[in-house]
């Protein structure tokens, strides 16, 4: 059979690129397993937009293949590539300042809570799994984790204990969002007579964001480690941090 013509190649490659299937594509002739090179694709495809999509696909594949690289997990959107430091705690993104966790799928660094703490919560009465932060179920078939028939004193105590820690965790997350909103509002002020005052407020908001984040995940840590010997010290440190944060 004859080799595919240039228009055929162009249409074939364009379709594969648009379908995000170009990285492993082979020659369209069934018995040929050769893969087109980057130089060949760029010489065949004339659209700059399609070539840009191809280059993005190559970059995604490269990051996925490198165990020491990952994408920034900022939920607001960020295309920065991060280098894992191997310590379990992500470095601040140089583009958006978001701190990602390198060890789990949780969208941000969650010190002092461990990765296993962040995976999910479990109802003490029916073993229903749900997200600690948003309370959405891990199993979509279970509509409401309070809809359980078994009522025992220990389970009721566990539920009350969870609600207390969850309320504290949620409060700190909301307070962190307030600090972020305040920093954005201050940053948008175009005319400020006292520049030093403005800088101080921005720095204070950044400290508040970080402190509230640590306090929120300290609630998760404390919930799982209530019976350990070191919890008295942790609770004292958390209480001290909360007092200073409230003062700020």
């Amino acid at each position: 059979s004859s080799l595919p013509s240039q228009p055929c190649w162009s249409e074939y490659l364009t379709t594969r690129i648009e379908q995000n299937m170009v990285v492993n594509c082979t020659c369209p002739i069934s018995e040929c397993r050769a893969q087109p090179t980057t130089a060949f694709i760029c010489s065949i495809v004339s659209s700059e937009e399609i070539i840009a999509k191809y280059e993005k696909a190559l970059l995604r594949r490269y990051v996925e293949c490198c165990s020491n690289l990952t994408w920034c997990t900022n939920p607001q959107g960020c295309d920065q590539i991060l280098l894992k430091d191997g310590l379990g705690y992500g470095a601040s993104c140089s583009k958006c300042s978001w701190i990602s966790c390198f060890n789990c799928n949780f969208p941000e660094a969650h010190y002092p809570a461990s990765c296993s703490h962040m995976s999910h919560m479990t109802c003490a009465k029916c073993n229903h799994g749900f997200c600690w932060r948003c309370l959405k179920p891990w199993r979509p078939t279970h509509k409401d984790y309070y809809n359980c028939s078994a009522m025992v004193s220990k389970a009721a105590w566990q539920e009350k204990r969870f609600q207390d820690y969850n309320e504290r965790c949620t409060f700190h997350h909301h307070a962190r969002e307030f600090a972020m909103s305040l920093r954005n509002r201050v940053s948008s002020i175009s005319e400020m007579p006292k520049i030093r005052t403005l800088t101080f407020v921005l720095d204070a908001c950044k400290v508040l964001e970080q402190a509230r984040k640590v306090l929120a995940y300290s609630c998760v840590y404390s919930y799982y480690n209530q019976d350990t010997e070191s919890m008295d010290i942790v609770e004292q440190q958390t209480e001290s941090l909360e007092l200073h944060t409230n003062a700020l």
Side-chain angles (χ1 to χ4, degrees):
S1 59
S2 61
L3 294 176
S5 64
Q6 182 166 334
C8 291
W9 267 112
S10 179
E11 183 177 351
Y12 170 69
L13 292 173
T14 298
T15 301
R16 300 287 291 194
I17 293 171
E18 289 180 335
Q19 294 177 349
N20 293 319
M21 299 171 62
V22 69
V23 177
N24 292 320
C25 80
T26 57
C27 175
I29 297 178
S30 59
E31 64 269 19
C32 180
R33 308 309 301 167
Q35 293 184 328
T37 64
T38 297
F40 177 76
I41 292 175
C42 291
S43 68
I44 293 293
V45 179
S46 58
S47 170
E48 294 183 1
E49 181 181 354
I50 297 299
I51 290 297
K53 288 183 179 180
Y54 170 63
E55 291 175 345
K56 286 184 179 180
L58 287 181
L59 181 60
R60 285 197 303 270
R61 179 61 179 269
Y62 178 76
V63 173
E64 291 170 359
C65 291
C66 294
S67 59
N68 65 331
L69 297 179
T70 186
W71 296 99
C72 175
T73 57
N74 190 333
Q76 301 300 320
C78 179
D79 58 0
Q80 188 78 346
I81 299 172
L82 306 179
L83 177 65
K84 298 180 181 180
D85 57 12
L87 300 177
Y89 305 110
S92 176
C93 175
S94 60
K95 185 174 183 178
C96 69
S97 300
W98 186 262
I99 305 178
S100 306
C101 179
F102 291 157
N103 290 334
C104 69
N105 292 326
F106 198 74
E108 69 175 347
H110 42 73
Y111 181 83
S114 69
C115 293
S116 61
H117 292 163
M118 302 312 302
S119 59
H120 68 274
M121 290 293 298
T122 303
C123 176
K125 293 192 290 182
C126 71
N127 292 323
H128 165 60
F130 55 94
C131 172
W132 168 278
R133 188 169 180 180
C134 68
L135 300 184
K136 291 182 179 179
W138 287 84
R139 294 196 301 270
T141 54
H142 197 119
K143 301 296 183 182
D144 185 352
Y145 69 90
Y146 290 111
N147 258 347
C148 317
S149 57
M151 285 297 293
V152 293
S153 58
K154 183 177 180 180
W157 177 82
Q158 286 280 14
E159 181 180 310
K160 178 62 169 61
R161 180 167 170 266
F162 164 75
Q163 289 179 351
D164 291 342
Y165 277 99
N166 182 63
E167 287 177 2
R168 289 170 54 192
C169 181
T170 302
F171 168 79
H172 290 305
H173 277 305
H174 287 165
R176 177 188 175 190
E177 292 172 358
F178 169 79
M180 295 171 64
S181 175
L182 179 61
R183 178 159 64 94
N184 291 335
R185 292 202 303 271
V186 174
S187 299
S188 66
I189 298 176
S190 58
E191 297 180 3
M192 173 63 75
K194 297 180 180 180
I195 301 300
R196 291 182 179 179
T197 302
L198 175 63
T199 304
F200 168 76
V201 173
L202 291 174
D203 291 341
C205 288
K206 292 178 182 178
V207 173
L208 279 176
E209 291 174 34
Q210 182 63 23
R212 290 299 182 184
K213 174 181 170 182
V214 172
L215 286 169
Y217 293 126
S218 293
C219 295
V220 182
Y221 179 88
S222 298
Y223 178 85
Y224 279 103
N225 296 277
Q226 193 65 41
D227 298 327
T228 60
E229 296 179 357
S230 61
M231 276 311 300
D232 286 342
I233 298 176
V234 173
E235 291 287 2
Q236 290 174 7
Q237 292 176 332
T238 302
E239 182 177 355
S240 176
L241 174 60
E242 188 166 0
L243 287 172
H244 284 84
T245 303
N246 290 339
L248 178 60

